Amino acid sequence: MGIPKYRVQGWSRRGTMEASCSRCLLLLFLLTCELAPEVAGEVEESSDGPGTAQGPIWLTDVPAAEEFISAAEVAIVGFFQDLEIPVVSVFHSMVQKFQDVSFGISNNSEVLAHYNITRNSISLFRLVDNEQLKLEGEEVENMEAAKLSIFIETNSLRLVTEYNTKTGFGLFNTMIEIHLLLVISKASPEYAENMNRYRKAARLFQGKILFVLVDSGMKENEKVISFFKLKKSQLPALAIYRTFDDQWDTLPITEVTVEHVKNFCDGFLEGKLLRENRTSEEKTPKVEL
């Protein structure tokens, strides 16, 4: 079964918005994470008033901006030379729509220079792969809310990202070429404990492997499960996929442990495929003694 490939509108790393013709496989993730803790120092609330969540955080100097960005799994920062352009109000409206994302704003010349901003721009910073994705110039100045929403939804990759149709595309706008999927029902009694251990394991491979959650209880995820030739009786399971050569492997499990995840990932990185071993065993005729 071939991997579906789509021609999608993407965003270049540290560049402007462009057609990125990525190969996109119908899998992968976004787990809502806790909001980043409030940043101290010279970080100030927007004009909506202190103690509210109605607007982005004002970043008034370089240390404040750096601390704000480093404290969040996903941070969206509006770098505006001109606060009167239409996209500024659109940017403010995103704060309420994406309450699990940290939003900052700055027109400070030192902050803009520090992040090499020469035009009005919106940048998405990700901790999971240390990427900065940038929208800038005339295109961003008149950007509509729907287009900005798609940019945020598609590219908000986290330490563990829950698969949906938008993040499935975003996973291919990254330099990390290996994706690990945990296929499990979010309705299962052990889900919370398994996810805690999965997140711990994700930290061990940060920058090397993208960790994905696929809810097996959702009908729209059946294609993902069938791609890896997994049966419902084999779930929960781990599935690992490498984008540049379509290599993959699976490991049915009864529970998620850091050790299971680590050993499975290490084995795949070393070129060991458990799937081939299982297939070989199944084909070997059994001899009765």
Side-chain angles (χ1 to χ4, degrees):
M1 176 179 178
I3 294 176
K5 299 174 183 176
Y6 303 92
R7 191 177 186 88
V8 298
Q9 183 71 25
W11 295 267
S12 63
R13 299 176 185 83
R14 298 181 175 86
T16 57
M17 195 170 171
E18 63 180 14
S20 82
C21 308
S22 296
R23 309 156 28 128
C24 282
L25 143 83
L26 185 60
L27 17 132
L28 316 127
F29 58 71
L30 139 72
L31 179 68
T32 25
C33 302
E34 296 176 325
L35 287 171
E38 293 196 13
V39 181
E42 291 296 319
V43 176
E44 300 174 0
E45 290 286 349
S46 68
S47 57
D48 295 292
T52 71
Q54 301 302 311
I57 301 295
W58 277 99
L59 308 175
T60 59
D61 59 28
V62 173
E66 290 180 330
E67 190 172 3
F68 174 80
I69 291 167
S70 65
E73 284 198 47
V74 178
I76 313 289
V77 181
F79 296 107
F80 300 119
Q81 297 170 323
D82 180 2
L83 294 175
E84 301 301 320
I85 57 175
V87 75
V88 175
S89 60
V90 173
F91 183 78
H92 277 261
S93 72
M94 295 294 106
V95 179
Q96 284 300 302
K97 183 171 183 178
F98 298 97
Q99 297 189 26
D100 58 341
V101 174
S102 297
F103 284 84
I105 187 171
S106 183
N107 64 346
N108 179 274
S109 59
E110 292 183 359
V111 173
L112 270 58
H114 180 75
Y115 289 99
N116 300 314
I117 304 300
T118 58
R119 299 184 288 177
N120 293 304
S121 70
I122 295 173
S123 289
L124 183 150
F125 296 86
R126 293 193 304 232
L127 180 65
V128 68
D129 58 356
N130 195 32
E131 283 288 356
Q132 176 189 349
L133 306 183
K134 187 188 300 182
L135 302 170
E136 62 181 3
E138 294 181 3
E139 187 160 21
V140 72
E141 290 175 3
N142 296 292
M143 180 170 281
E144 297 178 351
K147 202 168 186 179
L148 182 54
S149 292
I150 292 172
F151 171 74
I152 295 172
E153 289 177 305
T154 300
N155 294 293
S156 291
L157 307 184
R158 302 172 181 276
L159 189 64
V160 175
T161 304
E162 184 175 350
Y163 169 77
N164 60 45
T165 53
K166 291 188 174 66
T167 55
F169 287 98
L171 284 158
F172 287 81
N173 193 24
T174 173
M175 295 297 291
I176 301 177
E177 297 174 322
I178 298 177
H179 306 156
L180 179 71
L181 290 71
L182 171 60
V183 185
I184 189 172
S185 172
K186 293 175 71 173
S188 65
E190 302 83 12
Y191 169 75
E193 291 184 9
N194 282 322
M195 276 305 303
N196 286 336
R197 291 190 287 266
Y198 192 55
R199 284 183 61 82
K200 288 180 181 178
R203 297 185 186 280
L204 301 177
F205 294 92
Q206 187 171 332
K208 296 179 181 179
I209 298 176
L210 291 175
F211 276 55
V212 183
L213 167 68
V214 177
D215 184 0
S216 61
M218 298 182 66
K219 185 175 180 60
E220 50 265 43
N221 290 337
E222 289 180 355
K223 289 184 178 179
V224 177
I225 298 170
S226 64
F227 170 82
F228 290 105
K229 305 188 188 309
L230 287 167
K231 302 174 183 177
K232 287 190 175 181
S233 60
Q234 294 176 294
L235 304 181
L238 297 172
I240 196 164
Y241 173 78
R242 187 164 55 214
T243 61
F244 68 84
D245 62 359
D246 299 343
Q247 188 65 264
W248 59 272
D249 198 7
T250 57
L251 177 66
I253 53 177
T254 54
E255 66 173 352
V256 177
T257 68
V258 174
E259 183 179 8
H260 281 154
V261 175
K262 184 177 184 305
N263 290 342
F264 183 55
C265 291
D266 285 341
F268 187 81
L269 292 172
E270 294 168 4
K272 302 173 184 176
L273 294 181
L274 301 178
R275 173 169 52 92
E276 290 182 355
N277 294 338
R278 287 195 297 272
T279 303
S280 177
E281 290 174 0
E282 290 171 0
K283 290 181 179 179
T284 302
K286 296 182 180 179
V287 179
E288 294 186 6
L289 299 179

